[in-house]
Amino acid sequence: MAARSALLPVVLAAVLFAGAVYQTVNFVEGARPGQSATALRGNTARRAFSPDSMPEVDTSVLTALAVSTPGWWANIVFVVIPCGFLIILYLQSERVRVAEEKGAK
């Protein structure tokens, strides 16, 4: 087999890493690097949409974050209890397996 150069994988890894860092900075800061946050919201926008001037509204975010009691109990019954059962079943089967191995020796 011909020896392959390690240069191409290193260059591709460097490009991918640089792209990931650039995208992370865009995601975290919400803008391109170097753009100031004050340019996004001017004084006019801040005065036009001040929280004091807006009426109280029920947004979809507040509705989505509301947790109902039946939904809470459904999560407990259908997620926590089966997972607990599977953990207990696994621990018991491992205990039996170890006991059988010790008995066989």
Side-chain angles (χ1 to χ4, degrees), residues 50-75:
S50 68
D52 299 332
S53 66
M54 293 178 59
E56 192 70 29
V57 292
D58 186 29
T59 63
S60 62
V61 174
L62 293 176
T63 305
L65 292 176
V67 178
S68 65
T69 303
W72 177 257
W73 284 110
N75 278 332

Side-chain angles (χ1 to χ4, degrees), residues 62-97:
L62 293 176
T63 305
L65 292 176
V67 178
S68 65
T69 303
W72 177 257
W73 284 110
N75 278 332
I76 295 211
V77 169
F78 294 118
V79 174
V80 175
I81 291 176
C83 287
F85 172 75
L86 291 174
I87 290 169
I88 291 169
L89 184 67
Y90 170 75
L91 292 174
Q92 287 179 347
S93 67
E94 286 296 308
R95 184 181 62 185
V96 169
R97 185 183 62 84

Side-chain angles (χ1 to χ4, degrees), residues 9-50:
V10 170
V11 170
L12 285 175
V15 168
L16 288 173
F17 179 74
V21 168
Y22 180 74
Q23 289 301 323
T24 304
V25 169
N26 283 342
F27 178 73
V28 172
E29 293 181 3
R32 286 195 205 46
Q35 240 183 5
S36 66
T38 57
L40 296 175
R41 293 195 174 109
N43 287 336
T44 307
R46 266 190 245 138
R47 278 185 270 130
F49 296 109
S50 68

